[in-house]
């Protein structure tokens, strides 16, 4: 496993392409969900400087805060609440260009301006969500959706049955 990330490219897509194989290398041979989520959060934050990156795990029918990089965050989110709870309920990626315009957005930090949350599936059930926040308005696009979903998939593929 590489001890350091080496990211090439200038566009976000180029950086994701450079990051993906390195995420796979980080996850290789490791089945611990928390350890892998922690390294993914760190790798995303390190590569893109996102304001907040982290996982919430589905536990006993609520979302519970998992490994993250960024400021302290709310620990539990109910199904259907906020962007994360909506992502879980719908099983769909939620892209929010302006968090102030999203009804029910949970403001863990007033500095967060836009957000993307992707669901993570195991056996067709949402088992976690991957949440990325930006302090810039409209900071996420289809590119983030594609690559974050791919990263989420690689994380879920490491989970033991
Ligand atoms: N804003 C999220 C809550 C989690 S934090 O941003 C870390 C939401 O509305 O679900």
């Amino acid at each position: 496993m590489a001890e350091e990330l080496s990211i090439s490219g200038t566009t976000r897509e180029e950086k994701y392409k450079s990051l993906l194989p390195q995420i796979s290398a980080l996850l290789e041979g490791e089945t611990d969900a928390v350890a892998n989520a922690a390294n993914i959060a760190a790798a995303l934050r390190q590569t893109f400087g996102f304001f907040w990156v982290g996982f919430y795990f589905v536990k006993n029918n609520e979302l519970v805060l998992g490994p993250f990089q960024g400021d302290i965050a709310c620990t539990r989110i109910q199904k259907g609440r906020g962007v994360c709870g909506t992502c879980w309920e719908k099983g769909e990626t939620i892209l929010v260009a302006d968090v102030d315009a999203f009804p029910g957005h949970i403001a863990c930090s007033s500095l967060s301006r836009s957000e993307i949350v992707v669901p993570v599936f195991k056996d067709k059930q949402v088992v976690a969500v991957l949440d990325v926040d930006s302090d810039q308005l409209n900071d996420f696009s289809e590119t983030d959706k594609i690559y974050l979903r791919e990263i989420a998939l690689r994380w879920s593929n490491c989970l033991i049955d």
Side-chain angles (χ1 to χ4, degrees):
M1 184 192 85
E3 296 295 336
E4 276 181 30
L5 290 180
S6 171
I7 302 298
S8 59
T10 49
T11 68
R12 198 171 282 181
E13 179 154 37
E14 286 167 349
K15 288 181 180 178
Y16 274 120
K17 281 187 173 155
S18 164
L19 177 62
L20 268 182
Q22 297 182 69
I23 285 198
S24 287
L26 278 170
L27 304 185
E28 197 177 340
E30 180 56 70
T31 59
D32 189 275
V34 171
N36 285 337
N39 261 340
I40 287 174
L44 285 168
R45 169 85 174 235
Q46 215 178 311
T47 301
F48 299 106
F50 290 133
F51 180 69
W52 196 93
V53 184
F55 286 79
Y56 281 89
F57 298 136
V58 175
K59 286 185 184 173
N60 298 323
N61 209 38
E62 54 185 0
L63 290 175
V64 181
L65 184 64
F68 69 95
Q69 294 269 315
D71 292 358
I72 57 169
C74 50
T75 51
R76 289 172 193 270
I77 298 175
Q78 306 307 309
K79 194 181 245 183
R81 294 284 316 283
V83 187
C84 293
T86 304
C87 170
W88 173 26
E89 184 171 55
K90 295 189 169 173
E92 291 170 7
T93 299
I94 311 284
L95 217 158
V96 181
D98 177 357
V99 296
D100 291 335
F102 187 93
H105 170 256
I106 301 164
C108 290
S109 166
S110 58
L111 295 176
S112 177
R113 307 297 303 281
S114 59
E115 178 163 359
I116 183 169
V117 186
V118 306
V120 192
F121 294 92
K122 184 76 186 170
D123 301 327
K124 298 186 177 163
Q125 298 291 314
V126 177
V127 294
V129 301
L130 171 58
D131 179 12
V132 185
D133 290 22
S134 172
D135 57 4
Q136 309 291 315
L137 274 177
N138 200 17
D139 199 16
F140 301 106
S141 70
E142 284 299 307
T143 299
D144 298 283
K145 178 174 172 176
I146 290 164
Y147 287 97
L148 292 174
R149 286 176 74 106
E150 178 60 32
I151 290 167
L153 178 66
R154 291 184 192 198
W155 177 78
S156 68
N157 282 341
C158 293
L159 299 174
I160 41 176
D161 293 320

